[in-house]
Amino acid sequence: MNGKVKVWDAEKSDIKYSTRVEGHMHDIKENGDHLYGALQHDDQLTVVRYDRQLTNRDTVVSIPYKTNQLSQIDVRYREIVVTDWDNELIKLYSSDGEFVRDVQLKDAKQPYGVRLMKDDCVLVSDWEADSVTKYKTDGSGEIVWRCDDRLRYPTGLCVNEWGFIFVSCYTGDKIYLLSPQGNCLITHCQLTKTGCVTA
Amino acid sequence: MIVLGDRLPDLMSDELRRTDTVYDIIVSGSHLYLVCGDKGMKCFTISY
């Protein structure tokens, strides 16, 4: 399977840069002058690094990869984290690809989305457990939020500068907005073309 | 208060449906994006 990586000018809704990739690009995060991608090809998940113009690419690390499910990455300063769906853990690397450690996530079922936090904790969405959990580096976790409605399969996570947590869901018709303490501020927001939601 | 506002034109495609699957979420400035794989991104305004 071949795909493309594209950098968009959001204001102009226009493509600035584009490049082809061989494989399935699961996720891309920015960090400083680089873009880091999680690229699956055959039985390898490779963390690749681009410059912002997508003209140069190098391999940071390659990981044996069994599942067909998606894996997300996050990069912050000099640290890379990759979720391992099959083994309920996260893998930590330096930004240059040096292996740091695996962190087994206690009580995790299928970790998916991941965000490195400012306090060195890691925020993980769990596809099967319908939850968002904040893990310490020893793998112990505190559930920040658990979905209690019909919506299932939380996917991506995003944390804004004030610590509010945005959670997307696979079904595509809702998002959740959580306070830094895990209180759900938006529950059933219907994302229609004219929808407007206030928290 | 956080206000999720109007849906803006999609990036890459203007044919995304409400039920298209979402793989990731990005908040950048006054915009919120829902990443729908290679189909594109749904875009919304967001204000504080």
Side-chain angles (χ1 to χ4, degrees):
Chain A
M1 176 182 177
N2 294 321
K4 284 186 175 180
V5 175
K6 300 174 181 177
V7 174
W8 285 79
D9 184 329
E11 296 298 326
K12 298 179 181 176
S13 296
D14 197 11
I15 298 173
K16 293 177 70 176
Y17 312 109
S18 176
T19 188
R20 289 186 175 277
V21 294
E22 185 176 355
H24 187 167
M25 187 66 79
H26 288 194
D27 193 16
I28 284 194
K29 294 293 191 307
E30 60 179 347
N31 185 44
D33 294 332
H34 294 95
L35 303 173
Y36 289 77
L39 178 65
Q40 181 195 353
H41 182 60
D42 294 333
D43 57 354
Q44 293 285 312
L45 184 78
T46 304
V47 177
V48 295
R49 178 171 51 200
Y50 294 93
D51 59 59
R52 287 186 171 270
Q53 291 75 40
L54 303 178
T55 52
N56 295 299
R57 184 183 103 176
D58 64 329
T59 296
V60 179
V61 64
S62 288
I63 308 166
Y65 192 72
K66 295 182 295 185
T67 184
N68 288 322
Q69 303 299 336
L70 303 176
S71 280
Q72 289 206 345
I73 63 170
D74 196 19
V75 186
R76 182 170 175 266
Y77 303 129
R78 297 190 57 79
E79 198 168 32
I80 299 172
V81 60
V82 182
T83 51
D84 185 330
W85 171 295
D86 285 331
N87 298 304
E88 301 92 36
L89 54 82
I90 53 174
K91 304 178 84 66
L92 292 167
Y93 300 87
S94 74
S95 58
D96 293 323
E98 182 181 350
F99 177 73
V100 176
R101 62 181 172 275
D102 288 338
V103 178
Q104 194 73 45
L105 304 178
K106 292 177 182 171
D107 300 322
K109 294 183 178 178
Q110 289 176 326
Y112 182 104
V114 63
R115 288 284 174 173
L116 290 162
M117 307 292 283
K118 292 179 179 176
D119 57 3
D120 291 332
C121 290
V122 180
L123 201 62
V124 176
S125 65
D126 193 311
W127 171 283
E128 182 61 30
D130 290 332
S131 62
V132 173
T133 301
K134 187 175 183 179
Y135 289 98
K136 296 179 181 177
T137 52
D138 64 0
S140 63
E142 176 185 353
I143 293 178
V144 174
W145 169 77
R146 188 185 296 279
C147 180
D148 60 0
D149 68 12
R150 292 183 300 110
L151 182 60
R152 300 201 58 192
Y153 310 127
T155 52
L157 295 167
C158 190
V159 183
N160 74 2
E161 60 187 296
W162 298 290
F164 287 91
I165 303 163
F166 296 79
V167 185
S168 62
C169 290
Y170 187 72
T171 50
D173 59 348
K174 298 175 185 175
I175 64 167
Y176 288 96
L177 170 61
L178 313 178
S179 73
Q181 294 75 35
N183 298 316
C184 192
L185 303 178
I186 292 178
T187 54
H188 290 272
C189 52
Q190 298 294 327
L191 300 177
T192 65
K193 286 190 174 181
T194 57
C196 181
V197 177
T198 303
Chain B
M1 177 178 291
I2 297 176
V3 179
L4 184 63
D6 294 333
R7 181 171 176 178
L8 303 175
D10 299 322
L11 296 182
M12 294 173 64
S13 169
D14 58 1
E15 298 176 350
L16 289 171
R17 297 171 299 171
R18 187 170 62 86
T19 54
D20 280 330
T21 52
V22 173
Y23 298 97
D24 204 359
I25 186 167
I26 301 167
V27 175
S28 178
S30 60
H31 293 90
L32 182 149
Y33 304 94
L34 297 177
V35 181
C36 303
D38 57 4
K39 291 185 176 180
M41 290 185 278
K42 301 175 185 179
C43 180
F44 300 84
T45 61
I46 189 167
S47 58
Y48 301 94

